[in-house]
Each structure stands twice: as C-alpha cells, then as structure tokens.
Amino acid sequence: MGVGGQQTEAADVFSWEEVQKHRSRNDRWLVISRKVYNISQWAKRHPGGSHVIGHYAGEDATEAFTAFHPDQKFVQKFLKPLLIGELAATEPSQDGNKNAAIIQDFETLRTQVEKDGLFKAKPLFFCLHLTHILLLEALAWMMVWYWGTSWTLTLLCAVMLATSQAQAGWLQHDFGHLSVFKKSKWNHLVHKFVIGHLKYGMKKIKHMPYNHQHQYFFLLGPPLLVPVVFNLQNLNVMISRRNWVDLAWYLSFYIRYFSCYVPLYGVFGAVALNLFVRFLESHWFVWVTQMNHLPMNIDHEKNRDWVTMQLQATCNIEKSFFNDWFSGHLNFQIEHHLFPRMPRHNYHLVAPRVRALCDKHGISYQMKTLWRGMTDVVR
C-alpha cells in the first residue's frame, strides 16, 4: 500500500466506463500510458494547479502529460503512490472521440523532432533577447537623464519602457514553459527574476467572467488589464498565500524603478509615467495574446485528441522578423500549444511538419496576417 492507503502496484484492471465514473471534484481518476491513477487527494498539490490536472479526470491524459513534463522519470516518483491499476487488455488506449491514428502520428512526430534537437534551446538567442531588454531600459533612463524630461522625450521614454516590458513578458513566458534550461529548477529560478524584478509580476487570472468578455473587452481588456487588474491580482495572491519571496522580487522592481525616476519626475510624475507605460504594455499584451484565441472555437471542451483540440482553439499569424519579435514568436501559437516546452526559436522549423500532419488528417490549420488577426478580435 502507498500514500493514503493507495496501492503502489497495478493489481486491478479497469474499463473506460469505470474510469469515467471518477470525474467529480472529490473523486478523480485519470489514465497515463494505460495506467490508472487516483489523483483525488494529490490534485491539490499539483504544481500546475488542481484545475489543470483535474481537467483530465475520467480521461486519458497521456498526451498532455508528455507535453508538459520534461523529466518524466522524475515525475514517476509522484505518480507511483497514486497508481491503482491499469486498463483492461480489451480496452483501447484512447477514450471518447480521440482519433488513434492522429495520436500515433503526432507521437511519431514529437519523437522525431526531439531526435532532431528541436527541444534544445540556443543560449545565444535568449542572451541577446535579455540584452536588448536591458538596453532599452538603460537607454530610456539615460535619454531623459541627459536631455531632460520634455513631453516628447517622456513619451519616447514611455514607449521604450513599454517595449522592454512587453519583451520581458515574452521572455518570462519562455522560462515559465521550461523551454530554456534542461533543468526545471533553473527555469523556475530565472523565471522568478524576470517576472519579479524585470516585470513586477504577472499571473493568469483564473476567475474572470471570460464568457462575457465581448461586453467588457474594450473597457477592461487592453487599457486596464496590466496596470490595474494584474497588479491587484498579484498582490492579493502573494499576500494571501504568503509568497514572501515573490513579494520581495515584486518590491525590488519598484525600488529600482522609483530610484531611477523619482529624482527626474518627482513621486507623482514617476507614478504617472509607470501607469502610462503599463497602459501601453497592456494594449500590446492583450492584442497579441487574444488574436490567436479569441476568434477561435474555445467555448466547449469536446474531449478530442491533443492535436485536434489545439488546432480548434488556436491559429497562427504569418512569420516575419517583425511578427516574431512583436509577438514573442506567439504568432506560432499552434506549435506553441502542441509543443509547449519547445524553445520558440524552433517553432518555424516544426511548423511545416505540423501542417503536413494536419493536411493528412483533414484538420484545419489557420494562418492569418497580423492585420487579419487583430481585426478578427474586433469582429
């Protein structure tokens, strides 16, 4: 017997009908590589959150498990105490409407791109990206320090700071998806520095009325999401959960910022400048993140295979040097969803293979211009 009285050896066999009975909030089973696990109690301790793992209750989670866990041998020590059995030999490996042929072809593709080294990050790429963020920050301050705080220079300073913040946002996203370093702990450590000190913190809001976003998008979304909503949400999470390390990183950003700009603008001016920078950044962040998702059919989960589900919920924006930089390579949103741990500089290399897979199985692969992506959000 294992933790909480759960078996540590697969002694029982189950049908999909039995597994699917266990999908309530307090009773959750899932399947990974035909092994059946009881995650009812452990889901609350899942590093990615209980909602993410609970989403697969009563289902096969193999594809999602493979996509998000770089060191599967390490994860096995957490899975072993939760193991209660396996699928009966007569049961298929997939449940529901999942297409076995697509799943097999995608697994073959994922194995091949891993062999081809497309999951290996290029340190120089991320070093140059971080360098250009720091240069923008330094040049923005030096410009107003040397030439003065006229309206024109202040506006230019705000644009440069908003650009550095937006680009830092894409960089923290890379570390958050464990796509830079081989070791997860290094990704987490640098992620805290980038998101905390360089960016003041930004977390996904889980309790927004997204099904009504068409009614508040232009009022709340682009103008207020980053400067107001994210700030309040971050403070609430850090204080209520006593995340003092995160709070220290958060405060370090403001200590650095006000130390630089209060001598030039005074307290009120520095606060106003920061709010304006956040206002500009918020528009950038919201429009880029929504152009791949908002126009898509994401209102209902239909328990499809990993590839079909991601292609229904996302679309791509055409590749160009500007589009790649402007969106942090999230113009390749399809590839990012399919391979969330892949370094973004390799998305364009795997994209033709993904498109070929979609063509083979008759799955729609949507590619738009940047302008079309923006206008589709409004439409």
Side-chain angles (χ1 to χ4, degrees):
M1 302 297 286
V3 177
Q6 293 176 338
Q7 298 175 358
T8 58
E9 296 183 0
D12 297 321
V13 293
F14 301 100
S15 66
W16 276 115
E17 183 180 3
E18 176 63 23
V19 172
Q20 290 165 355
K21 293 177 181 178
H22 302 271
R23 58 196 321 165
S24 65
R25 179 181 293 271
N26 298 316
D27 181 19
R28 295 172 172 174
W29 292 8
L30 55 73
V31 176
I32 300 174
S33 300
R34 299 189 63 85
K35 302 295 185 182
V36 181
Y37 298 92
N38 184 346
I39 62 166
S40 303
Q41 300 301 318
W42 189 81
K44 298 177 182 177
R45 303 196 300 273
H46 182 235
S50 61
H51 178 75
V52 174
I53 192 171
H55 178 77
Y56 288 93
E59 300 180 16
D60 178 59
T62 306
E63 293 178 288
F65 176 80
T66 303
F68 286 105
H69 297 88
D71 189 349
Q72 295 188 23
K73 291 183 179 180
F74 173 77
V75 180
Q76 286 299 323
K77 73 177 186 178
F78 297 97
L79 285 177
K80 189 175 181 180
L82 310 177
L83 180 64
I84 59 172
E86 60 186 19
L87 292 174
T90 55
E91 291 291 316
S93 297
Q94 294 78 35
D95 63 305
N97 298 320
K98 296 176 181 177
N99 188 312
I102 296 176
I103 292 174
Q104 181 58 52
D105 283 352
F106 179 70
E107 176 58 24
T108 301
L109 173 61
R110 190 195 64 78
T111 301
Q112 186 58 51
V113 298
E114 192 161 13
K115 287 181 179 178
D116 292 344
L118 297 188
F119 280 92
K120 295 180 180 179
K122 296 178 180 177
L124 180 61
F125 173 88
F126 293 103
C127 286
L128 291 175
H129 191 80
L130 175 60
T131 299
H132 104 287
I133 292 170
L134 298 176
L135 280 175
L136 282 168
E137 292 269 347
L139 290 173
W141 177 81
M142 291 176 64
M143 180 178 63
V144 291
W145 172 77
Y146 187 78
W147 282 305
T149 56
S150 68
W151 282 103
T152 302
L153 290 176
T154 298
L155 178 61
L156 182 57
C157 174
V159 170
M160 294 172 68
L161 290 176
T163 301
S164 71
Q165 286 296 292
Q167 292 301 319
W170 309 142
L171 183 60
Q172 66 82 23
H173 181 255
D174 296 320
F175 291 109
H177 274 278
L178 313 180
S179 62
V180 181
F181 296 109
K182 291 182 179 179
K183 295 288 186 179
S184 295
K185 65 179 181 180
W186 283 106
N187 283 291
H188 291 309
L189 180 63
V190 181
H191 183 242
K192 284 184 178 294
F193 166 74
V194 176
I195 198 173
H197 183 69
L198 294 184
K199 271 210 61 61
Y200 82 95
M202 181 182 290
K203 297 181 180 294
K204 180 177 176 62
I205 299 176
K206 300 178 180 179
H207 303 293
M208 291 286 286
Y210 290 109
N211 55 320
H212 295 294
Q213 60 186 340
H214 58 286
Q215 297 172 341
Y216 64 76
F217 180 82
F218 293 103
L219 175 65
L220 177 60
L224 298 180
L225 191 63
V226 171
V228 178
V229 181
F230 272 152
N231 259 309
L232 295 177
Q233 177 79 359
N234 287 332
L235 283 171
N236 177 61
V237 169
M238 288 184 290
I239 294 174
S240 63
R241 297 182 182 178
R242 300 182 179 181
N243 294 337
W244 306 128
V245 173
D246 288 350
L247 183 61
W249 280 116
Y250 177 93
L251 293 175
S252 74
F253 168 85
Y254 283 105
I255 291 172
R256 174 174 62 86
Y257 171 80
F258 286 116
S259 296
C260 290
Y261 288 97
V262 167
L264 298 173
Y265 289 97
V267 175
F268 178 80
V271 170
L273 175 61
N274 181 64
L275 288 175
F276 185 60
V277 169
R278 298 303 174 200
F279 174 83
L280 296 176
E281 179 202 355
S282 190
H283 279 79
W284 191 330
F285 170 79
V286 172
W287 285 98
V288 167
T289 55
Q290 295 308 303
M291 67 184 181
N292 302 103
H293 296 98
L294 200 63
M296 304 304 291
N297 180 26
I298 57 174
D299 61 328
H300 181 63
E301 169 57 60
K302 299 177 180 177
N303 190 22
R304 307 296 295 272
D305 56 84
W306 182 253
V307 174
T308 303
M309 184 171 65
Q310 304 311 319
L311 269 293
Q312 285 180 342
T314 54
C315 64
N316 276 6
I317 303 299
E318 291 178 344
K319 174 178 172 54
S320 71
F321 178 82
F322 176 80
N323 287 356
D324 293 353
W325 172 83
F326 182 73
S327 67
H329 288 83
L330 293 183
N331 50 327
F332 289 96
Q333 191 70 223
I334 292 173
E335 287 68 32
H336 172 59
H337 272 232
L338 291 175
F339 305 101
R341 294 185 290 105
M342 181 177 288
R344 57 169 148 137
H345 51 68
N346 288 334
Y347 290 158
H348 73 284
L349 298 176
V350 76
R353 306 189 197 187
V354 172
R355 190 155 198 168
L357 176 66
C358 291
D359 290 342
K360 176 181 178 180
H361 293 280
I363 303 172
S364 176
Y365 183 105
Q366 292 197 40
M367 176 78 73
K368 304 178 181 179
T369 64
L370 181 63
W371 175 251
R372 172 71 185 278
M374 298 294 185
T375 56
D376 277 356
V377 172
V378 180
R379 181 172 58 83

